[in-house]
């Protein structure tokens, strides 16, 4: 794949999303949000790819995966008015269907096409499927897009919490109520260093905790250092209510992050 292919894909992407422009400000806000998210995930994935010292060609491949990873989000929001896959459709599969239908990737090699489609398919799974060969190219790019995506979802969450916007975007909080307390199952997953499950979220505190629990699924040391530089995790933590339980969770997150920083973690970070 060449730089011209990336330029072509970018141009196509912006043409494609244009059709979702709407006079309804709620719809427009959420469409814009996903366009901006895509742009930032493209930047993040390049930062991560470069920190892993991959070739220029592979940087292009990484960027194409980022460009198309959430392509299904636009149709999903227009059709169902939600970003919640469980109440609509799996947005990764929706994106793949669109790419196939429009034959967008037909200009690149079959090998590259299938890698891009697979990385998109795996970007939003709870875990990377075990049958993907460890240290394969697909494994590497899947880990890359999952980290790049998470960095930006955490940024978005921070903005929502810290700006105290004039209006909150209910689609981002997945329409959950702002009630006190948290789900026990989410707390227990966190204390076991596991990602919390979307289905266990009952209120907005759970949304914050779930997002914080993503640190247990970070693949690259460069992601930890970017998150540290940006201060996203600290910001989200500061918006959790002050209770004995949340203080314990904060401490738990901090200890985990420190252990990662000093390379004591169990995650493999090499490609
Ligand atoms: Fe996604």
């Amino acid at each position: 794949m060449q730089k011209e292919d990336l330029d072509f894909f970018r141009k196509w992407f912006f043409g494609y999303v244009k059709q979702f422009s709407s006079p309804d400000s709620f719809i427009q806000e959420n469409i814009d949000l996903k366009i901006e998210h895509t742009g930032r995930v493209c930047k993040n994935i390049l930062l991560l790819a470069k920190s892993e010292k991959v070739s220029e060609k592979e940087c292009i491949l990484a960027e194409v995966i980022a460009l198309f990873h959430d392509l299904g989000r636009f149709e999903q929001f227009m059709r169902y008015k939600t970003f919640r896959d469980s109440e609509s459709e799996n947005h990764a599969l929706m994106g793949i269907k669109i790419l196939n239908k429009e034959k967008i990737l037909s200009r690149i090699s079959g090998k590259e096409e299938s890698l891009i489609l697979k990385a998109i398919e795996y970007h939003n799974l709870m875990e990377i499927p075990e049958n993907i060969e460890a240290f394969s190219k697909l494994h590497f790019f899947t880990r890359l897009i999952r980290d790049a995506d998470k960095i930006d979802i955490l940024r978005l969450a921070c903005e929502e919490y810290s700006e105290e916007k004039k209006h909150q975007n209910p689609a981002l909080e997945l329409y959950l109520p702002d009630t006190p307390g948290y789900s026990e199952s989410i707390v227990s997953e966190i204390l076991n260093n596991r990602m919390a499950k979307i289905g266990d979220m009952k209120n907005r505190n759970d949304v914050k905790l779930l997002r914080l629990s993503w640190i247990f699924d970070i693949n690259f040391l460069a992601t930890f250092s970017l998150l540290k530089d940006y201060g996203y995790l600290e910001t989200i933590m500061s918006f959790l209510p002050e209770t004995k339980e949340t203080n314990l969770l904060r401490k738990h997150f901090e200890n985990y992050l420190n252990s990662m920083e000093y390379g004591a973690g169990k995650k493999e970070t090499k490609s």
Side-chain angles (χ1 to χ4, degrees), residues 31-190:
I31 296 299
D32 286 345
L33 197 118
K34 286 297 167 191
I35 296 173
E36 281 163 28
H37 167 69
T38 300
R40 288 177 196 259
V41 176
C42 287
K43 284 198 182 114
N44 292 340
I45 210 165
L46 274 184
L47 287 174
L48 298 181
K50 283 179 182 158
S51 80
E52 289 293 304
K53 301 189 174 30
V54 304
S55 69
E56 204 179 316
K57 261 197 153 179
E58 287 178 319
C59 282
I60 294 175
L61 187 57
E63 209 177 329
V64 176
I65 293 168
L67 181 70
F68 290 144
H69 84 286
D70 263 357
L71 190 70
R73 284 298 196 192
F74 303 94
E75 197 178 311
Q76 179 188 43
F77 200 80
M78 286 312 270
R79 265 211 229 169
Y80 305 100
K81 306 288 179 287
T82 180
F83 290 132
R84 214 169 174 168
D85 286 10
S86 60
E87 286 164 12
S88 54
E89 274 184 67
N90 178 335
H91 71 276
L93 298 182
M94 285 181 89
I96 292 169
K97 255 189 230 165
I98 297 160
L99 287 170
N100 284 335
K101 195 176 138 225
E102 306 281 335
K103 297 191 173 43
I104 297 307
L105 299 175
S106 62
R107 57 186 286 137
I108 58 174
S109 77
K111 227 174 161 183
E112 285 170 326
E113 178 179 4
S114 92
L115 190 141
I116 292 167
L117 295 177
K118 285 284 170 208
I120 295 174
E121 182 182 340
Y122 301 150
H123 94 270
N124 64 333
L125 295 182
M126 187 73 186
E127 278 170 12
I128 300 176
E130 276 176 11
N131 60 354
I132 302 183
E133 198 191 322
F135 305 112
S136 63
K137 216 170 163 180
L138 174 60
H139 193 245
F140 175 73
F141 283 97
T142 301
R143 289 153 71 228
L144 215 54
I145 184 61
R146 288 169 69 92
D147 276 22
D149 195 20
K150 284 191 178 79
I151 294 171
D152 196 59
I153 301 174
L154 289 169
R155 174 202 57 89
L156 200 58
C158 280
E159 276 186 9
E160 278 292 305
Y161 300 138
S162 46
E163 279 177 17
E164 285 185 2
K165 286 190 172 171
K166 292 137 240 135
H167 71 288
Q168 281 201 321
N169 182 348
L172 284 181
E173 293 300 324
L174 306 170
Y175 301 99
L176 290 167
D178 198 6
T179 50
Y182 343 81
S183 298
E184 278 307 317
S185 38
I186 291 192
V187 173
S188 137
E189 293 290 20
I190 290 171

